[in-house]
Amino acid sequence: MSDPDAKSETVLALPSNMTPSPVTSKGHPCSSLSVTYVSRRKLVEVVDGLLGVMTLSSTCKKPCVHSGSDEIAADNAWLAKCPSALSSFDQIIASMEGKKIALFLDYDGTLSPIVNDPEKAFMSPEMRSAVKNVAKFCPTAIVSGRSRDKVFEFVKLKELYYAGSHGMDILVPYSGSQSITNDDKEAKLFQPAREFLPMISEVNNSLVEATRSIKGANVENNKFCVSVHYRNVDKKDWKLVADIVDNVLNAFPRLKLTTGRKVLEVRPVIDWDKGKAVEFLLRSLRLDDPEIVLPIYIGDDRTDEDAFKVLRQRNCGYGILVSQVPKETEAIYSLRTPSEVMEFLNSLVRWKEQSP
Ligand SMILES: O=P(O)(O)OC[C@H]1O[C@H](O[C@H]2O[C@H](CO)[C@@H](O)[C@H](O)[C@H]2O)[C@H](O)[C@@H](O)[C@@H]1O
């Protein structure tokens, strides 16, 4: 059912208790724990903070192969706090107590390795096959900052659910059926930021124009949000990128800024994120009974923390952070790389195949 190109798309009404509302600012711009939301009013005050976040993300290097004892101790402390989901696999399975798994997967940095060119963040055939196999017995959703169409182009699996634009563009089955092979005709769209579409298009054009002269800067239109990539920008120009984004956003008081992996993300000022998207999907797919369903969310980025937090607060299911370095996180478990994510998914498949 979840083909993002489904022709008969209808926009769903907001559930009354999940109405997105405007927010101002949440979290400190330099906090790695919470997603950084920067309201327009605050942006001028925090451009330096923004630069701090940009700089901070550049200093997070993967551990050196020849780790010294300090690194090993830090690594052990990290794994004690956020154990490997592979080492803890038996424990995770044991805690399921016969429940069904609902799987939520981030895309970039989780299913595909981080690469310099966002257009080339391809998923390996082996990873695609792992996701396809796991989706045969776990309802599986991709929750990405990318536009829904673009992430579908990468993943190419019709049997999954897709939430693009950080959860602001969700395709769900009309009936709310748990089936993962529904007909396209039953699909409906949930787009809580639909009214922002013209504004996002306008800010995208302004950002493309304003960053044109900065070598390496890349603006990506993700439909309900816009990514300004600075991964390929010389570090000396990062302040310029922050200033330009600040300047452009001056004209858009209803847009806010979040930060990701060498990317600044412009999005509508509504209280909606990947965590809300996970809650919405669980409800829509009738998978929100914690006695029956155990949700697992795997992601690598700050924006995934909202989803980890929701699972932690519900005291049901597990957030799994993909990271090679210790991080402040709301996740319960960790995996180091997309390869380990694949190993985890394959372990789930093997376990299911061996289950009576
Ligand atoms: O929620 P996600 O699926 O993880 O998407 C978040 C952003 O991912 C992409 O950017 C990141 O990956 C790129 C490719 O590896 C990399 O070049 C970039 O530096 C990363 O920030 C995507 O391009 C963004 O639009 C997404 O918002």
Side-chain angles (χ1 to χ4, degrees):
M1 86 74 229
S2 328
D3 176 3
D5 298 319
K7 288 174 190 70
S8 62
E9 293 172 340
T10 311
V11 180
L12 292 175
L14 300 180
S16 55
N17 63 341
M18 297 183 80
T19 310
S21 57
V23 291
T24 50
S25 84
K26 177 179 159 193
H28 186 276
C30 288
S31 158
S32 56
L33 179 58
S34 59
V35 177
T36 307
Y37 293 114
V38 185
S39 74
R40 184 57 223 118
R41 274 194 304 275
K42 296 265 181 204
L43 187 58
V44 174
E45 297 159 32
V46 301
V47 159
D48 284 344
L50 193 56
L51 189 64
V53 173
M54 292 162 82
T55 309
L56 196 68
S57 74
S58 77
T59 57
C60 283
K61 298 261 186 285
K62 66 179 183 182
C64 170
V65 178
H66 306 290
S67 298
S69 55
D70 285 356
E71 281 88 0
I72 291 169
D75 204 41
N76 288 341
W78 161 243
L79 289 175
K81 191 179 161 214
C82 199
S84 159
L86 286 173
S87 314
S88 313
F89 189 75
D90 291 346
Q91 204 178 317
I92 293 174
I93 293 306
S95 73
M96 280 178 54
E97 295 166 334
K99 290 175 198 162
K100 168 180 191 160
I101 293 176
L103 195 57
F104 298 91
L105 302 168
D106 167 52
Y107 183 72
D108 289 280
T110 298
L111 296 183
S112 68
I114 293 293
V115 292
N116 284 339
D117 182 354
E119 300 303 315
K120 297 198 172 134
F122 303 115
M123 190 177 172
S124 69
E126 293 78 17
M127 180 66 96
R128 183 170 297 102
S129 152
V131 176
K132 190 178 175 65
N133 288 336
V134 84
K136 285 177 189 156
F137 69 93
C138 301
T140 301
I142 304 292
V143 186
S144 173
R146 302 263 190 175
S147 75
R148 191 166 45 82
D149 287 351
K150 196 181 273 182
V151 78
F152 179 76
E153 275 171 33
F154 280 125
V155 178
K156 294 186 171 77
L157 293 172
K158 287 192 175 184
E159 56 269 54
L160 312 184
Y161 301 103
Y162 289 86
S165 307
H166 293 292
M168 287 181 281
D169 192 5
I170 308 181
L171 200 59
V172 289
Y174 176 65
S175 59
S177 151
Q178 288 183 34
S179 160
I180 55 169
T181 54
N182 290 307
D183 189 277
D184 287 351
K185 291 186 200 89
E186 292 180 40
K188 294 214 171 190
L189 276 179
F190 177 68
Q191 297 178 328
R194 199 171 173 84
E195 63 172 298
F196 288 87
L197 271 180
M199 195 184 289
I200 291 292
S201 172
E202 199 185 330
V203 79
N204 176 73
N205 294 343
S206 302
L207 287 166
V208 168
E209 197 47 48
T211 56
R212 201 179 288 283
S213 59
I214 304 178
K215 195 168 168 233
N218 176 14
V219 177
E220 185 181 6
N221 187 338
N222 285 326
K223 191 162 181 174
F224 291 98
C225 41
V226 179
S227 295
V228 181
H229 294 276
Y230 58 91
R231 178 171 297 278
N232 303 316
V233 173
D234 193 305
K235 209 166 173 181
K236 71 173 170 38
D237 292 333
W238 287 5
K239 168 106 171 63
L240 188 58
V241 175
D243 287 343
I244 281 177
V245 173
D246 176 36
N247 263 339
V248 169
L249 286 194
N250 254 325
F252 297 91
R254 295 181 69 211
L255 299 179
K256 65 183 175 184
L257 203 61
T258 63
T259 60
R261 297 180 72 165
K262 306 241 176 88
V263 66
L264 301 177
E265 310 212 58
V266 175
R267 52 160 109 181
V269 182
I270 60 166
D271 185 13
W272 196 264
D273 53 38
K274 287 183 170 185
K276 296 258 172 21
V278 165
E279 286 183 308
F280 177 81
L281 276 163
L282 286 170
R283 277 170 44 128
S284 307
L285 304 175
R286 297 179 192 157
L287 296 169
D288 57 344
D289 182 347
E291 299 297 318
I292 301 173
V293 178
L294 182 117
I296 293 182
Y297 186 107
I298 311 181
D300 72 312
D301 214 343
R302 287 191 186 92
T303 56
D304 299 309
E305 290 294 334
D306 291 316
F308 298 152
K309 197 168 174 181
V310 159
L311 298 190
R312 199 180 261 273
Q313 282 169 351
R314 288 166 67 108
N315 195 22
C316 134
Y318 303 114
I320 302 179
L321 174 70
V322 184
S323 178
Q324 301 209 44
V325 291
K327 280 185 186 165
E328 281 294 308
T329 182
E330 296 278 353
I332 309 275
Y333 292 108
S334 65
L335 291 167
R336 287 179 196 273
T337 57
S339 302
E340 285 201 0
V341 172
M342 188 168 81
E343 212 179 318
F344 180 78
L345 300 181
N346 285 334
S347 301
L348 283 176
V349 173
R350 273 196 304 277
W351 162 76
K352 189 66 191 172
E353 284 170 353
Q354 286 159 15
S355 300

